[in-house]
Amino acid sequence: LEDHSGHGHHAVARGAVDLGAAGPAGNPNTAAAFNGRGAFLEVPASADIQPGTGDFSLSAWIDVNDKGDDVPGDLLSWYDPARRRGFHLTLKTNAGVATAQSNARHLQFGIDNNRESEWTDCGRPGKAILAFALVAHDGNLYAGTCEPLVNQSGRVYRYAGGSQWIDCGSPTTANSVTSMAVHDGKLYAGTGKYRLGGSALEESKNPNLGGHVLRYDGPASWTDCGQLPGVEAIGGMVVFRGLLYASSLYRPAGFFRYDGGTQWTDCGTPGKRVEAMGVYNGYLYATCYDEGHVFRYDGKTWTDCGQLGASEDNTQTYSFAVYSGRLYVGTWRTGRVYRFEDVNRWTDAGRLGDELEVMGMLVHNGRLMAGTLPLAEVYAYEGDTTWRRMARLDATPDVKYRRAWTMAEYAGRLFISTLPSGRVFSFEAGKNVTWDTSFPIGWHHVAAIKQGGQLRIFVDGRLVGSSDRFDAADYDLAGDMPLRIGFGSNDYFAGRMRDVRIYRRALAASEVEELARKK
């Protein structure tokens, strides 16, 4: 693929990139199509494209795959994972982060030079003993809680900065909002009676069962979208091929598709409970609380993807993350993460310290991170089978289990919930800016700019996000890694792209507007 700038930075196709695809005007041979399964373009390393500590800008027209059966993937990546140095421009979907779909097609731009913030205590939503679900939606971060006393119920809160949370009302009389996901631009919440004995805590005296799913329609306003038949607590929720699915947390196993109104269709199970759910390479994947297996669903039938490790060692699977194009899964009770190679083929990616269970996982600015039980620790993946301990987040005394439960990315930071303190903490790797709303389907222009000590992102010529200020001298992005178009630390891009531009200066807002007019 030729570099039309005249600088000779020609790209090499890796995999089946279709260079004859149609662009925004419908004309063939005006865009590149990426299949999301291993195809990307690579520009060899060159001193000319190293930004150093200077300003730079990224610009492209993109059309996101609307099949809804894979994570959208990376747009541009220039990153060295060993030194944690470089930049990413990506669209993030984080599903199967324990029971929540935490992010859905959120545009992110990040830089790093092996920099890490302190962990910030962001407070306790209400009287939570934990936040089951954290979801970024339409510019806000929401938490669904377990509040177990007899006169309490699960609630949803919106983060207001600092340690403040705004009560969005209770969609249930049961003790928990166990799952959340964004579907068709709306926030949905699954409810349940959580059995606290599973966390070695005193059982809740609230007798009410859940199993309903509700839609958030505004301040403290919830619409009942129906009861899952025979379900007392919702397990995972995920959007797959444009449809919302939900599972049962407890026996009997159940897996259902939302068909509008209050209608749910029983889609069958693999004979076991399916819990955390994510999408990857054309399938819906699900963890299992009845054995250490993972199952996948093609829209009609289930396939058993096999046991992770030895059956006597791993008896449950817990969470998903897609890292560098591969699917990773957390387990109980060896505290190990496994990488999916193929059906019945799993590779051990290592144990997280001496922990027993791997809870929520996601990739934050190039780093695969995971939370644990029983010490509520957070680890970062260093490659092969090595994990680096970063922090312990819950030090509640005189309890058997502490959990770093679920995660979400919001406002450029990683947020993580804990049990039994009920507090939420945040962290930032490098510097990031995010657009915390679902990126629209179809052709749209994106631009990302580093100017001095700030990052900004634009969609269709409009500024949609700015980072906090930072010292540009801290971020020397020198390195000898190649530039990748359509791949990075998250996944292969699924969609079309054209007119990719990189500038060694900061574009003015007027220049971004002009680029957004030129399809």
Side-chain angles (χ1 to χ4, degrees):
L1 183 68
E2 286 192 22
D3 174 9
H4 291 280
S5 73
H7 291 88
H9 300 303
H10 306 306
V12 178
R14 307 294 188 190
V17 180
D18 178 7
L19 301 179
N27 299 320
N29 303 310
T30 57
F34 300 81
N35 61 16
R37 305 289 195 275
F40 65 100
L41 299 173
E42 187 171 80
V43 179
S46 169
D48 291 348
I49 54 177
Q50 294 186 26
T53 59
D55 297 345
F56 67 96
S57 304
L58 312 173
S59 168
W61 280 92
I62 64 170
D63 175 25
V64 183
N65 186 330
D66 63 356
K67 292 181 180 179
D69 63 358
D70 198 4
V71 296
D74 295 284
L75 304 176
L76 294 167
S77 179
W78 189 75
Y79 186 69
D80 180 346
R83 290 183 290 177
R84 304 186 191 93
R85 177 183 293 170
F87 65 74
H88 312 270
L89 180 62
T90 186
L91 289 169
K92 289 295 296 291
T93 292
N94 295 314
V97 190
T99 57
Q101 180 170 294
S102 300
N103 301 86
R105 290 199 320 274
H106 290 174
L107 181 66
Q108 300 183 2
F109 175 40
I111 64 172
D112 200 2
N113 186 23
N114 199 20
R115 300 285 173 171
E116 297 179 352
S117 76
E118 299 293 326
W119 288 88
T120 299
D121 186 342
C122 299
R124 180 187 184 194
K127 302 295 183 181
I129 199 167
L130 80 147
F132 257 103
L134 293 171
V135 173
H137 166 58
D138 203 19
N140 292 293
L141 178 68
Y142 294 88
T145 64
C146 172
E147 303 187 39
L149 299 184
V150 69
N151 60 342
Q152 296 175 342
S153 63
R155 307 186 75 84
V156 173
Y157 297 84
R158 176 169 55 83
Y159 185 52
S163 60
Q164 301 300 307
W165 295 84
I166 295 172
D167 190 348
C168 297
S170 177
T172 183
T173 58
N175 67 22
S176 297
V177 173
T178 54
S179 183
M180 294 196 296
V182 174
H183 170 55
D184 280 347
K186 292 286 188 177
L187 179 66
Y188 287 76
T191 66
K193 180 182 179 181
Y194 177 52
R195 302 173 187 174
L196 277 78
S199 292
L201 299 172
E202 181 182 356
E203 291 290 4
S204 173
K205 303 238 178 353
N206 180 340
N208 298 307
L209 303 180
H212 280 258
V213 174
L214 297 98
R215 184 183 68 241
Y216 184 55
D217 288 329
S221 176
W222 293 89
T223 296
D224 190 351
C225 297
Q227 170 83 37
L228 272 61
V231 173
E232 65 179 80
I234 304 296
M237 294 175 67
V238 73
V239 176
F240 174 59
R241 297 180 183 170
L243 300 171
L244 178 64
Y245 289 85
S247 67
S248 174
L249 183 63
Y250 300 120
R251 294 184 178 92
F255 174 71
F256 303 86
R257 182 186 68 237
Y258 181 51
D259 288 330
T262 59
Q263 300 301 309
W264 291 85
T265 297
D266 188 341
C267 295
T269 72
K272 307 288 184 179
R273 285 179 294 168
V274 292
E275 300 297 340
M277 296 187 290
V279 294
Y280 173 71
N281 284 4
Y283 297 94
L284 183 158
Y285 284 80
T287 64
C288 181
Y289 281 0
D290 296 321
E291 57 187 6
H293 285 230
V294 166
F295 300 90
R296 74 183 186 189
Y297 180 70
D298 64 6
K300 293 182 179 179
T301 60
W302 288 96
T303 297
D304 186 347
C305 295
Q307 170 74 36
L308 282 66
S311 59
E312 63 269 23
D313 294 332
N314 293 316
T315 59
Q316 295 181 340
T317 49
Y318 261 86
S319 54
F320 292 111
V322 179
Y323 174 59
S324 293
R326 311 292 290 279
L327 183 68
Y328 287 74
V329 184
T331 63
W332 157 273
R333 82 177 294 277
T334 64
R336 292 181 177 275
V337 170
Y338 290 78
R339 183 174 61 249
F340 180 60
E341 308 292 353
D342 203 343
V343 173
N344 294 315
R345 288 181 53 219
W346 295 89
T347 296
D348 185 348
R351 185 175 183 181
L352 283 62
D354 295 320
E355 295 295 88
L356 300 178
E357 183 174 282
V358 179
M359 300 290 298
M361 297 193 297
L362 59 72
V363 177
H364 173 61
N365 202 16
R367 310 182 191 195
L368 175 58
M369 300 177 65
T372 67
L373 168 152
L375 295 180
E377 295 181 333
V378 181
Y379 288 77
Y381 185 48
E382 302 282 88
D384 193 20
T385 59
T386 302
W387 292 80
R388 174 173 59 96
R389 182 185 180 276
M390 299 186 69
R392 180 178 174 183
L393 298 182
D394 195 319
T396 303
D398 304 321
V399 294
K400 182 177 181 179
Y401 293 143
R402 305 162 189 86
R403 297 179 185 257
W405 193 289
T406 192
M407 298 176 172
E409 291 178 292
Y410 169 70
R413 298 179 69 87
L414 169 72
F415 286 74
I416 184 166
S417 65
T418 60
L419 172 143
S421 71
R423 307 191 78 81
V424 176
F425 295 82
S426 72
F427 163 86
E428 185 176 23
K431 295 304 299 182
N432 303 270
V433 56
T434 58
W435 188 34
D436 299 306
T437 192
S438 295
F439 194 88
I441 298 298
W443 282 103
H444 295 275
H445 185 263
V446 297
I449 297 172
K450 174 185 176 286
Q451 184 171 24
Q454 190 174 42
L455 307 180
R456 292 177 291 155
I457 48 176
F458 296 76
V459 174
D460 294 334
R462 179 175 64 92
L463 178 67
V464 296
S466 301
S467 74
D468 296 335
R469 296 282 179 177
F470 57 89
D471 186 348
D474 289 339
Y475 291 89
D476 184 353
L477 306 185
D480 58 0
M481 49 280 200
L483 171 71
R484 288 172 169 172
I485 302 171
F487 183 48
S489 295
N490 298 284
D491 199 11
Y492 299 95
F493 178 59
R496 293 179 292 175
M497 198 180 312
R498 65 166 270 112
D499 198 22
V500 175
R501 300 174 181 231
I502 301 176
Y503 300 83
R504 295 193 64 178
R505 63 181 180 87
L507 291 172
S510 59
E511 292 178 290
V512 175
E513 292 175 3
E514 180 63 22
L515 288 171
R517 286 194 290 266
K518 294 180 177 179
K519 289 189 177 183

